[in-house]
Amino acid sequence: MDWASLKRGLAEDIVKRLFKLNAILFGEFTLTSGLKSPYYIDLRVIPSYPDDFIRVCDAYYEILANEVGSFDRIAGVPTAGIPFATMLAYRFRKPLIYVRKEVERGHGRGRIVEGVLNVNDRVVIIDDVATTGESLMLTAQSIISMGGRVEDAVVLVDREQGAEAKLMKMGIKLHSLIKISDAARILLDHGLISGELYNKILSYVRGVG
């Protein structure tokens, strides 16, 4: 099976699993970025369901294997990205690092990047969802400041709210299993959301609603 077909099949399966586990919720939500949204994606619940967690990690694995190519280290974005990054580091037998939200002050080693990072190491960043791209960009900047190279970032879902374009300006390609507009289409096709909600999501993505 070619990668495009495999990716479509994975996306359909994962989206249905996320809906079943209430990892995709609909209503009125305020995101970390302060933006309002008619839906919320909570992948922090996934590791509580081992079979689904493995399946989601399989999807990440295939993206890395088919779209990213070679890399030296895997970086998880705290906190939601770390469980997936940990599993991927194990499966690829690659070192794991992560970036603190704040530098340790007054104790420890005063580091922002935890783990071993060598100059010119090519690091791929793993997170759950991309919205504005801020968390991914901050993680990349910290790694670059320590001498690493970041050319790729991988998320499960792209909310299509500017992350891809912002990362591209830094020379980083954003890879995702699925965009939210395509995820909504899958849910609609399987009768899991109404046409009204589908249109509301599309309007939101386009900046109309």
Side-chain angles (χ1 to χ4, degrees):
M1 182 183 297
D2 64 275
W3 169 230
S5 298
L6 175 59
K7 190 174 185 179
R8 283 194 297 272
L10 280 170
E12 184 168 340
D13 177 50
I14 295 297
V15 168
K16 289 190 291 184
R17 287 172 184 262
L18 297 183
F19 183 84
K20 177 190 70 175
L21 300 176
N22 289 322
I24 298 181
L25 301 169
F26 300 98
E28 296 297 330
F29 302 93
T30 300
L31 307 179
T32 303
S33 62
L35 297 173
K36 303 293 183 181
S37 175
Y39 68 92
Y40 184 70
I41 300 172
D42 181 13
L43 297 190
R44 291 174 177 82
V45 304
I46 301 303
S48 294
Y49 301 92
D51 290 341
D52 299 289
F53 178 53
I54 290 170
R55 185 61 170 160
V56 168
C57 288
D58 286 343
Y60 275 105
Y61 181 93
E62 293 295 343
I63 295 171
L64 285 165
N66 288 281
E67 296 186 7
V68 175
S70 64
F71 55 90
D72 300 306
R73 293 171 199 274
I74 289 177
V77 178
T79 54
I82 288 181
F84 305 109
T86 301
M87 179 66 81
L88 291 166
Y90 168 75
R91 291 185 63 176
F92 279 98
R93 300 300 191 269
K94 295 290 186 180
L96 174 72
I97 63 174
Y98 68 90
V99 175
R100 287 178 169 271
K101 290 187 177 181
E102 294 182 359
V103 178
E104 292 178 301
R105 299 188 185 281
H107 66 281
R109 301 174 68 182
R111 300 177 59 143
I112 187 69
V113 176
E114 294 291 357
V116 178
L117 175 64
N118 301 315
V119 174
N120 287 325
D121 275 346
R122 183 180 175 187
V123 181
V124 58
I125 299 174
I126 304 295
D127 205 358
D128 57 345
V129 176
T131 305
T132 64
E134 181 178 354
S135 295
L136 291 165
M137 291 168 65
L138 290 174
T139 297
Q141 289 165 356
S142 295
I143 291 169
I144 293 168
S145 73
M146 298 295 292
R149 294 185 296 127
V150 181
E151 299 172 5
D152 300 276
V154 180
V155 298
L156 198 70
V157 183
D158 178 5
R159 290 180 53 106
E160 300 178 84
Q161 291 179 262
E164 185 173 20
K166 290 179 182 177
L167 288 166
M168 187 60 68
K169 289 181 180 179
M170 293 181 63
I172 301 171
K173 181 173 177 57
L174 178 65
H175 306 264
S176 63
L177 177 67
I178 193 163
K179 296 182 183 298
I180 189 59
S181 56
D182 296 323
R185 183 74 218 187
I186 289 171
L187 294 175
L188 176 67
D189 289 345
H190 286 273
L192 298 174
I193 63 172
S194 66
E196 180 182 1
L197 180 53
Y198 171 73
N199 289 328
K200 184 176 183 179
I201 294 169
L202 286 193
S203 294
Y204 174 76
V205 169
R206 293 167 183 159
V208 176

